[in-house]
Amino acid sequence: AAAHRLRAARPDRAGLIERIWIGRGAGPADVALRPRLIPLPSIGFVHADRAIRRLLLEVPPDCPLAPEELRAALLGIALDADPKTGEIRSEARLVPAAQAAMLSHYGMGEGARPARLWRSVTPMALPGRPPGPGREGSARLAAEAAMASAVRQALRHAGIDEAPLAIRLQPEPFEGRGERAEAFAHEPRFPAAVLRHVELRFATPRHGPLILGNGRWLGLGLFAPAAEDLRVLAF
């Protein structure tokens, strides 16, 4: 819907809009230029239900589409419209956020502190072929090593040169209100075998947003900083 508005306003830039905003025909050089819409589940509180009430527009500095025109193209868009007929089935629309406090829970905005420990809120779609199932210890170790290698590859794809000190992968969410990784499967693009929740520990604290993997343009692989739990046991 936003692309339709952009093309109507600037028909001479239809090809650019298709390549940079939609992503059709985008080449490797376009990746660093493309704006990104990041759905932000509600987190930060024990009883937060992780429903998606906010959409973050991330515009790279060198993007040929101005942030102001992208923002104007998004405002007022109906969120429940029939893609074929255009019929609006509810009055839910995109409006400017009244508050930006949720950004701090994702390591962004004013007052956000850099963190070393990051955990996925939505599972990563790991690049490459999914590892084959294995029940024996050696097969499981090989599969886990392959997935850890895929995580490091995803970091490079996102332009992050720092290798993490530790990588932890699991199908279960890190928070009680989260969903298992396979709940986000969507065949054939995102089979359950490539989806994993991931924990990363870096040597250098960093800010968000941190979003990794093959689903990073669709809201998968979104990370949030976690408080480091220094486990000291006293007997």
Side-chain angles (χ1 to χ4, degrees):
H4 178 75
R5 290 181 175 183
L6 290 168
R7 285 191 295 261
R10 293 292 303 272
D12 57 312
R13 305 181 80 188
L16 175 70
I17 293 165
E18 192 78 359
R19 192 177 80 253
I20 299 297
W21 179 248
I22 299 295
R24 294 193 188 102
D30 297 320
V31 173
L33 306 178
R34 290 190 60 200
R36 182 161 53 187
L37 289 171
I38 305 174
L40 296 179
S42 297
I43 61 171
F45 308 97
V46 175
H47 300 295
D49 59 5
R50 304 201 165 210
I52 295 172
R53 300 179 177 87
R54 299 165 186 85
L55 193 64
L56 175 67
L57 171 63
E58 182 188 40
V59 185
D62 296 329
C63 178
L65 302 173
E68 294 77 14
E69 63 178 325
L70 294 177
R71 184 177 186 273
L74 288 167
L75 290 181
I77 284 179
L79 296 179
D80 187 18
D82 190 300
K84 294 182 179 179
T85 66
E87 177 189 1
I88 297 174
R89 295 176 289 210
S90 81
E91 290 304 311
R93 293 178 180 272
L94 287 177
V95 298
Q99 298 179 350
M102 183 57 63
L103 293 179
S104 64
H105 296 303
Y106 287 96
M108 297 177 280
E110 296 182 7
R113 295 181 178 180
R116 292 184 178 89
L117 186 65
W118 292 78
R119 290 172 177 159
S120 61
V121 176
T122 56
M124 270 186 67
L126 302 174
R129 299 179 62 182
R135 307 181 105 185
E136 297 182 359
S138 58
R140 286 203 308 273
L141 285 174
E144 290 174 4
M147 288 189 286
S149 177
V151 171
R152 288 189 286 269
Q153 182 181 351
L155 285 163
R156 291 192 294 270
H157 289 169
I160 299 174
D161 296 327
E162 180 186 0
L165 297 175
I167 300 173
R168 176 181 169 190
L169 299 103
Q170 61 187 50
E172 302 85 7
F174 293 104
E175 302 291 341
R177 287 275 185 166
E179 294 282 352
R180 289 179 60 91
E182 57 265 27
F184 294 82
H186 192 279
E187 299 284 355
R189 187 171 181 183
F190 301 120
V194 304
L195 297 174
R196 287 294 185 279
H197 281 289
V198 180
E199 178 186 271
L200 299 172
R201 184 183 297 275
F202 296 96
T204 305
R206 61 182 306 110
H207 283 98
L210 182 61
I211 182 164
L212 305 170
N214 285 353
R216 65 189 184 278
W217 300 102
L218 298 170
L220 291 177
L222 176 62
F223 285 72
E228 295 195 64
D229 183 13
L230 302 178
R231 300 178 181 231
V232 179
L233 304 180
F235 294 93

